[in-house]
């Protein structure tokens, strides 16, 4: 790109030309002396103008070429959560951004730990310093997992179009040498055609240097274009030996990457001239991709100084119980199992080591304690072989060294300089399920096993057994398996017919079926039958609106439920999960009163933790008072990731309140929000001041009007406690306190979802009764926001 001084020079020169030609137009009748002076001015400025324009064109062409030079395999990691494993063993994790001159890792977790919020890697570091790009399956969200599943299916069973496109691409890559020769011929022809203009180009170069620009040399510029064009072709590669291995299980060897060297089995996905990408990378024992790390911590004889949490999510500390025993406490806040290797206490004579040989496992989201009882051996003089044992404690040492290992399912991109394919396997073949094999297994009486059926209390139900896959109270000798098989066949036919009928109704009805009365009457009859057998009125309503044609409605005058406005669509139920019961348990009883919000039927569920998969199916997550912070931080890493993933997929999180103590030394985690927010201790109050943005949002007016004073200030009657402070100004403040610059109600859109953070004091039944109107307004605000987002996604152009 042009430098600033070159751009300024270009503007000044163009201005001089315009002024010159304007003066020439105005003084049209001047004499020959004026024309000669104008001509001399133009002779002086024309070559700088040509030099500036030429430089702009040259740099513009290089910039356009650079837009298409991103590595094709690395582009698949854009805006994805990736781990950069350096060759020296260091790791950087976060969201990846890629450019032609390097890459960047944006890490929210690193910023929360007080480290750099992002790490920038130059092009040389990407080529020489990175050993692998890792994407673990347990860090993917639901959308990324579904995309990966489609990629895996397409890789194992590629469609004909995919195979043809790849063959065509390989054909052009194979003609790489011919393309390079063609590029050289093009630039050579340009050079030969421009050779008569060498004198003018020399004048352009002299003019560029005179005005502070770069030297313009035809040979250098054309040589640069030639190299840039050929560099673009080097990105791709076609090798017949490994091309046939795409889509197969291969054995690879990694060398030159600390903590990752070794042999692995993986599904070969793709390759180019610089990288190879693999899916489902596992070690030879099928344990997953190995992650090995260790660190040495100095606690200086004080075990309270040893309280460390690494970037994997493992917290380590030492404690002493009442009996004087010392334990190493390992808290695993990850979704995978971690293995413990060596534990070494040193910097205190003599060194004590305990080798657990990675047989000691810390299960996901659990805590394990390891007894530390170091024993020292001393020689008894003057004897050389006589030794005595002396019991010591961790306080006799200054440092501790820990060694860990884990195995996780991962997709990895390796540079070709560190990865080599050493063995191949046969292509993956899907085995089709045989119906006859199932029938033969049912009729086979050679192997029979009775499995007891138990009730909810674990007690066996006498007389009920599982025989050949059927729960029955009939003895095996009296069981006619052929009749059972026939019954199951009829059941399968009924299910298949209903599935076909249901699929035909779910799709858009063709025009001829709407217009012809014969088909229209059949549709009406079928849907009337469906309405009679369904018990849920909400499902009936949705089914009816989709199934009945408008023309048939008018002809038969069927009294159907009115359609809602097209912007909101059908009023389907919404699900609300309330995280409550750990701090206070008064809110859920009031939340259940709000059965309908904007004519949506609200379905509520109360939980005490977020360790379940039902959160992904919810629309709103209500976090009760004190569930985030009350006498200590209450969430772990798993809950933090679940909350952020829920909001990123379109959910709404409503935080009721918190309880902050200024003298508390517990950490205040912020991993559940993308932008920082600080809780401050505040005296209990029943006044707050809505901001201008809060009044425009109607959150204090719908459905309950919360103005309680005749003053100009709109102050609702609520119960509030500790407030929030936004240090970076990223949040939208809808209401502030009346005494300090703190907020009691804030919102923050995050990807497809929304955060709503409040300062409600809902500790007692009386507090909740006062705040119930604002709680209902918050639900109405959230439901309206969800409806607007769905309408935008459906109708607005993308």
């Amino acid at each position: 790109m042009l430098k600033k001084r070159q751009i300024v020079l270009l503007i000044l020169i163009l201005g001089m030309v315009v002024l010159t030609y304007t003066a020439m137009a105005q003084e049209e009748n001047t004499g020959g002396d004026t024309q000669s002076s104008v001509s001399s001015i133009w002779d002086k400025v024309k070559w700088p103008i040509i030099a500036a324009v030429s430089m702009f064109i040259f740099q513009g062409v290089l910039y356009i070429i650079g837009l298409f030079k991103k590595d094709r395999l690395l582009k698949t990691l854009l805006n994805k959560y990736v781990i950069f494993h350096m060759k020296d063993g260091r790791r950087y994790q976060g969201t990846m951004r890629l450019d032609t001159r390097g890459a960047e890792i944006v890490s929210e977790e690193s910023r929360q730990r007080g480290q750099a919020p992002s790490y920038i890697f130059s092009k040389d570091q990407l080529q020489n310093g990175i050993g692998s790009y890792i994407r673990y399956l347990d860090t993917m969200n639901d959308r990324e997992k579904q995309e990966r599943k489609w990629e895996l299916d397409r890789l194992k069973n590629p469609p004909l179009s995919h195979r043809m496109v790849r063959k065509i691409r390989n054909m052009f890559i194979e003609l790489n040498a011919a393309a390079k020769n063609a590029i050289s011929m093009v630039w050579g022809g340009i050079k030969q055609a421009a050779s008569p203009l060498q004198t003018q180009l020399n004048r352009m170069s002299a003019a560029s240097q005179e005005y502070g620009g770069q030297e313009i040399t035809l040979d250098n510029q054309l040589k640069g274009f030639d190299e840039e064009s050929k560099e673009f072709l080097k990105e791709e590669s076609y090798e017949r030996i490994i091309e046939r291995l795409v889509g197969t299980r291969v054995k690879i060897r990694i060398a030159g990457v600390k903590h990752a060297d070794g042999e692995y089995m993986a599904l070969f996905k793709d390759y180019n001239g610089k990288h190879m990408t693999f899916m489902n990378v596992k070690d030879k024992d099928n344990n997953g991709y190995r992650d090995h790390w260790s660190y040495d911590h100095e606690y200086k004889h004080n075990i309270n100084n040893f309280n460390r949490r690494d970037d994997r999510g493992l917290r380590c500390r030492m404690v002493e119980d009442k009996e004087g025993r010392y334990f190493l406490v390992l808290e695993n806040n990850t979704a995978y199992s971690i293995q413990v290797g060596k534990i070494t206490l040193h910097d205190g004579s003599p060194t004590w080591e305990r080798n657990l040989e990675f047989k000691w496992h810390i299960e996901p989201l659990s805590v394990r304690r390891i007894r530390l009882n170091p024993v020292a051996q001393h020689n008894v003089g003057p004897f050389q072989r006589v030794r005595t044992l002396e019991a010591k404690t961790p306080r006799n040492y200054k440092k501790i060294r820990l060694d860990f290992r884990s195995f996780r399912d991962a997709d990895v991109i390796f540079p070709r300089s560190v990865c080599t394919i050493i063995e191949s396997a046969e292509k993956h073949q899907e085995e089709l399920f045989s119906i006859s094999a199932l029938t033969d297994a049912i009729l086979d009486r050679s192997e029979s096993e009775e499995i007891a059926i138990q009730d909810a209390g674990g007690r066996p139900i006498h007389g009920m057994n599982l025989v050949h896959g059927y729960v029955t109270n009939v003895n095996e000798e009296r069981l006619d398996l052929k009749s059972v098989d026939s019954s199951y066949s009829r059941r399968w036919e009924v299910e298949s017919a209903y599935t076909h009928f249901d699929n035909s109704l779910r799709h858009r009805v063709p025009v001829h079926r709407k217009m012809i009365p014969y088909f229209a009457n059949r549709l009406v009859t079928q849907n009337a039958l469906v309405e009679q057998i369904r018990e849920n009125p909400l499902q009936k309503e949705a089914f009816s609106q989709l199934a009945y044609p408008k023309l048939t409605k008018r002809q038969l005058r069927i009294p159907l439920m009115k359609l809602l406005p097209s912007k909101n669509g059908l009023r389907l139920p919404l699900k609300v999960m309330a995280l409550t019961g750990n701090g206070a348990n008064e809110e859920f009883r009031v939340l259940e009163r709000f059965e309908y919000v904007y004519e949506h039927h609200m379905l509520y569920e109360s939980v005490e933790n977020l360790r379940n998969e039902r959160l992904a199916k919810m629309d709103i997550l209500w976090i009760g008072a004190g569930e985030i912070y009350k006498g200590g931080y209450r969430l772990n890493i798993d809950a933090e990731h679940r909350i952020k993933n829920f909001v990123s997929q379109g959910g709404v999180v409503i935080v009721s309140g918190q309880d902050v103590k200024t003298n508390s030394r517990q950490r205040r985690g912020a991993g559940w929000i993308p932008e920082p927010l600080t809780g401050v201790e505040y005296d209990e109050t029943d006044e707050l001041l809505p901001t201008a943005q809060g009044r425009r949002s109607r959150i204090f007016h719908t459905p309950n009007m919360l103005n309680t004073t005749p003053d100009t200030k709109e102050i609702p009657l609520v119960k509030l406690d500790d407030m929030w402070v936004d240090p970076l100004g990223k949040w939208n403040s809808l209401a502030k306190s009346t005494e300090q610059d703190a907020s009691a109600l804030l919102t923050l859109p995050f990807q497809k979802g929304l955060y709503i953070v409040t300062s409600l004091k809902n500790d007692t039944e009386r507090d909740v009764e006062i705040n119930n109107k604002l709680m209902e307004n918050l639900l109405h605000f959230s439901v309206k926001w969800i409806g607007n987002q769905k309408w935008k996604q459906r109708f607005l152009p993308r």
Side-chain angles (χ1 to χ4, degrees):
M1 298 178 66
L2 290 177
K3 296 182 179 179
K4 292 184 178 179
R5 57 185 179 182
Q6 292 174 332
I7 297 175
V8 174
L9 175 63
L10 178 61
I11 296 174
L12 292 176
I13 292 174
L14 292 178
M16 293 172 59
V17 173
V18 173
L19 293 176
T20 302
Y21 279 102
T22 303
M24 291 173 62
Q26 292 179 353
E27 303 295 336
E28 189 173 274
N29 299 323
T30 57
D33 294 339
T34 305
Q35 293 180 359
S36 61
S37 63
V38 171
S39 177
S40 63
I41 293 175
W42 169 247
D43 291 338
K44 293 181 180 179
V45 301
K46 66 178 181 180
W47 291 115
I49 293 177
I50 296 174
V53 174
S54 301
M55 181 65 68
F56 181 82
I57 295 175
F58 289 159
Q59 298 292 343
V61 172
L62 293 178
Y63 175 75
I64 293 175
I65 294 176
L67 292 178
F68 299 94
K69 284 182 58 180
K70 294 180 181 178
D71 192 284
R72 178 173 56 85
L73 299 184
L74 296 185
K75 283 196 297 186
T76 60
L77 304 179
L78 280 174
N79 300 322
K80 302 292 180 60
Y81 189 84
V82 187
I83 295 178
F84 283 16
H85 191 160
M86 311 301 290
K87 292 182 180 180
D88 57 5
R90 292 177 298 167
R91 289 163 55 104
Y92 302 90
Q93 54 192 11
T95 304
M96 177 179 174
R97 296 175 182 174
L98 183 64
D99 193 72
T100 56
R101 299 181 180 180
E104 181 184 9
I105 282 289
V106 181
S107 177
E108 177 66 25
E109 300 174 56
S110 177
R111 184 176 69 173
Q112 293 176 8
R113 292 195 302 268
Q115 301 177 5
S118 66
Y119 301 93
I120 299 177
F121 301 86
S122 64
K123 188 175 182 180
D124 294 337
Q125 289 177 314
L126 292 179
Q127 295 177 353
N128 304 321
I130 295 182
S132 60
Y133 304 84
I134 309 172
R135 289 198 67 207
Y136 289 111
L137 271 63
D138 52 31
T139 61
M140 299 181 183
N141 55 35
D142 294 339
R143 178 180 56 83
E144 293 174 345
K145 290 181 180 178
Q146 185 63 38
E147 292 176 354
R148 183 185 179 276
K149 180 181 178 182
W150 293 338
E151 292 179 359
L152 188 61
D153 293 340
R154 185 170 61 248
L155 181 63
K156 292 180 179 179
N157 302 292
L160 179 61
S161 59
H162 183 75
R163 296 197 299 267
M164 293 299 298
V165 169
R166 189 169 184 87
K167 288 182 179 294
I168 294 173
R169 183 181 67 87
N170 292 337
M171 180 184 68
F172 281 103
I173 296 175
E174 188 70 6
L175 299 176
N176 196 355
K180 291 181 181 179
N181 295 333
I183 292 174
S184 299
M185 291 177 63
V186 170
W187 294 121
I190 295 176
K191 180 179 179 181
Q192 183 177 3
S195 58
L197 302 177
Q198 188 64 44
T199 304
Q200 288 80 356
L201 289 174
N202 293 335
R203 298 179 63 183
M204 289 170 55
S205 178
S208 176
Q209 291 181 345
E210 180 181 355
Y211 287 90
Q214 297 178 354
E215 181 181 2
I216 302 176
T217 305
L218 180 63
D219 295 336
N220 294 338
Q221 292 293 332
L222 295 181
K223 184 178 180 181
F225 284 156
D226 192 8
E227 293 177 355
E228 291 286 344
S229 304
K230 292 179 180 180
E231 184 70 19
F232 180 71
L233 298 175
K234 292 180 181 178
E235 296 285 342
E236 296 299 331
S237 173
Y238 170 65
E239 302 177 26
R240 298 180 182 179
I241 297 179
I242 63 175
E243 176 66 24
R244 63 183 181 85
L245 301 179
V246 174
T248 69
R249 296 290 296 180
V250 296
K251 188 176 183 180
I252 60 177
R253 179 182 292 118
I254 308 301
V257 183
K258 188 176 180 180
H259 299 320
D261 290 351
E263 296 181 353
Y264 299 90
M265 298 293 294
L267 184 64
F268 189 25
K269 180 181 178 182
D270 204 352
Y271 69 96
N272 62 8
K274 296 181 179 180
H275 300 91
M276 287 192 286
T277 177
F278 301 90
M279 303 181 71
N280 293 332
V281 182
K282 301 178 182 295
D283 69 345
K284 59 181 181 180
D285 297 325
N286 201 32
N287 291 325
Y289 187 68
R290 183 177 70 250
D291 181 16
H292 184 208
W293 73 98
S294 60
Y295 50 79
D296 200 340
H297 187 88
E298 183 177 1
Y299 60 93
K300 299 180 181 179
H301 302 297
N302 186 4
I303 64 174
N304 296 326
N305 293 335
F306 179 51
N307 190 346
R308 176 168 179 170
R309 177 178 177 178
D310 57 24
D311 57 350
R312 272 81 167 179
L314 178 65
R315 180 180 293 277
C316 306
R317 54 192 174 91
M318 281 192 291
V319 297
E320 181 181 5
D321 62 2
K322 298 180 180 179
E323 300 178 1
R325 297 177 299 180
Y326 293 86
F327 293 90
L328 178 64
V329 180
L330 303 174
E331 177 184 348
N332 184 6
N333 296 305
T334 66
Y336 52 89
S337 177
I338 297 178
Q339 304 173 5
V340 186
K342 292 182 180 180
I343 302 174
T344 306
L345 295 173
H346 60 103
D347 202 354
S349 179
T351 299
W352 177 80
E353 179 180 282
R354 182 178 179 184
N355 189 3
L356 300 177
E357 299 178 352
F358 298 108
K359 297 180 180 180
W360 191 284
H361 293 189
I362 314 171
E363 298 303 323
L365 304 176
S366 63
V367 180
R368 295 294 300 271
R369 298 160 64 95
I370 301 178
R371 175 78 181 278
L372 297 179
N373 52 349
V375 178
Q377 295 183 356
H378 296 282
N379 292 331
V380 179
F383 306 101
Q384 297 295 330
R385 297 183 179 180
V386 179
R387 295 181 179 181
T388 181
L389 301 180
E390 179 185 358
K392 290 194 173 186
T393 67
R395 298 182 185 273
N396 298 118
Y397 299 89
K398 293 183 180 181
K399 298 180 181 179
I400 183 172
R401 184 183 299 114
L402 300 174
D403 195 19
F404 302 103
R405 187 179 68 178
S406 66
F407 293 93
R408 303 163 64 184
D409 294 335
D411 298 341
V412 188
I413 297 179
F414 292 104
R416 300 192 66 170
S417 59
V418 303
C419 178
T420 306
I421 300 178
I422 56 178
E423 292 183 11
S424 64
E426 297 296 331
K427 277 191 173 294
H428 179 83
Q429 298 291 341
E430 295 286 350
E431 296 184 1
L432 300 179
F433 183 73
S434 175
I435 300 296
S436 60
L438 177 63
T439 306
D440 296 340
I442 293 177
L443 300 178
D444 185 13
R445 295 176 178 266
S446 60
E447 296 182 1
S448 62
E449 181 180 1
E450 293 186 357
I451 302 177
I453 306 300
Q454 299 178 348
D455 58 10
R459 297 179 296 273
I461 303 176
H462 299 288
M464 299 294 293
N465 296 287
L466 185 66
V467 182
H468 293 286
Y470 303 106
V471 178
T472 177
N473 60 346
V474 181
N475 296 332
E476 183 180 358
E477 291 77 10
R478 299 175 54 192
L479 188 63
D480 187 1
L481 296 180
K482 290 186 177 181
S483 63
V484 173
D485 180 50
S486 177
S487 300
Y488 269 81
S489 299
R490 288 195 300 270
R491 176 181 176 183
W492 178 84
E493 293 175 357
V494 173
E495 182 179 358
S496 177
Y498 178 79
T499 303
H500 176 72
F501 166 71
D502 186 66
N503 291 336
S504 63
L505 291 179
R506 288 180 182 272
H507 293 82
R508 187 177 296 276
V509 180
V511 178
H512 72 277
R513 293 184 180 272
K514 292 182 180 180
M515 302 301 296
I516 301 177
Y518 172 74
F519 293 106
N521 293 334
R522 289 186 60 184
L523 286 173
V524 172
T525 305
Q526 291 173 344
N527 287 284
L529 177 62
V530 171
E531 286 192 354
Q532 292 179 5
I533 63 176
R534 287 185 177 270
E535 298 180 356
N536 192 324
L538 295 171
Q539 293 181 354
K540 278 204 303 184
E541 177 187 357
F543 217 166
S544 303
Q545 304 298 347
L546 293 174
Y548 286 119
K550 295 182 179 179
L551 179 62
T552 309
K553 293 178 191 176
R554 292 196 299 266
Q555 290 178 349
L556 302 180
R557 298 179 182 178
I558 298 178
L560 299 176
M561 298 182 181
K562 295 188 299 179
L563 284 173
L564 295 170
S566 60
K567 179 178 179 180
N568 297 323
L570 296 174
R571 304 290 190 175
L572 298 178
L574 295 179
K575 299 178 181 180
V576 181
M577 176 179 286
L579 177 62
T580 182
N582 300 305
N585 198 17
E586 302 294 337
E587 292 177 304
F588 188 72
R589 178 180 55 82
V590 177
L591 285 175
E592 289 182 311
R593 297 179 188 174
F594 312 129
E595 187 174 358
Y596 287 91
V597 175
Y598 280 118
E599 299 183 15
H600 288 274
H601 183 54
M602 308 299 291
L603 306 177
Y604 296 93
E605 178 181 352
S606 175
V607 297
E608 294 184 357
N609 59 72
L610 297 178
R611 297 177 185 175
N612 57 68
E613 302 298 333
R614 295 191 301 275
L615 177 60
K617 302 179 180 179
M618 298 293 168
D619 300 289
I620 300 174
L621 172 62
W622 182 285
I623 301 179
E627 297 295 330
I628 295 294
Y629 188 90
K630 185 171 184 179
Y633 189 59
R634 293 179 175 272
L635 300 180
N636 53 30
I637 291 182
D638 179 68
E640 293 174 350
H641 285 307
R642 288 178 185 271
I643 293 175
K644 292 180 68 173
N645 183 63
F646 170 72
V647 179
S648 66
Q649 298 301 318
V652 176
V653 170
I654 304 175
V655 180
S656 179
Q658 60 172 349
D659 187 6
V660 177
K661 301 298 183 183
T662 55
N663 57 355
S664 177
R665 296 182 179 178
Q666 301 271 351
R667 75 180 185 95
R668 301 177 191 172
W672 56 280
I673 51 177
E675 297 295 341
L677 198 62
T678 304
V680 295
E681 188 175 14
Y682 199 87
D683 295 335
E684 181 180 335
T685 180
D686 58 356
E687 295 182 349
L688 58 82
L689 180 62
T691 62
Q693 188 175 3
R695 287 190 290 270
R696 288 194 302 268
S697 67
R698 309 290 296 176
I699 197 170
F700 298 107
H701 299 76
T702 306
N704 303 306
M705 181 68 67
L706 298 181
N707 299 335
T708 58
T709 62
D711 300 336
T712 56
K713 296 181 179 179
E714 298 177 357
I715 302 178
L717 179 62
V718 293
K719 274 282 188 178
L720 304 175
D721 199 355
D722 297 330
M723 302 289 181
W724 303 89
V725 174
D726 179 13
L728 300 181
K730 300 288 187 178
W731 292 71
N732 303 319
S733 178
L734 304 186
K736 290 185 174 291
S737 64
T738 56
E739 297 179 4
Q740 300 180 11
D741 188 16
S743 299
L745 179 56
L746 305 99
T747 61
L748 176 68
F750 176 62
Q751 295 185 10
K752 297 181 180 180
L754 178 70
Y755 284 95
I756 303 176
V757 179
T758 74
S759 298
L760 297 179
K761 183 180 181 298
N762 286 337
D763 294 340
T764 64
E765 182 178 357
R766 174 61 180 167
D767 297 336
V768 180
E769 289 295 336
I770 294 176
N771 291 329
N772 74 87
K773 292 184 179 181
L774 182 55
M775 293 168 60
E776 186 177 8
N777 285 13
L778 292 174
L779 287 176
H780 277 73
F781 181 82
S782 303
V783 172
K784 184 179 180 181
W785 190 89
I786 292 174
N788 291 337
Q789 293 298 114
K790 291 183 178 179
W791 184 83
K792 290 178 182 178
Q793 295 176 6
R794 182 177 180 182
F795 294 102
L796 294 183
R798 299 181 180 178

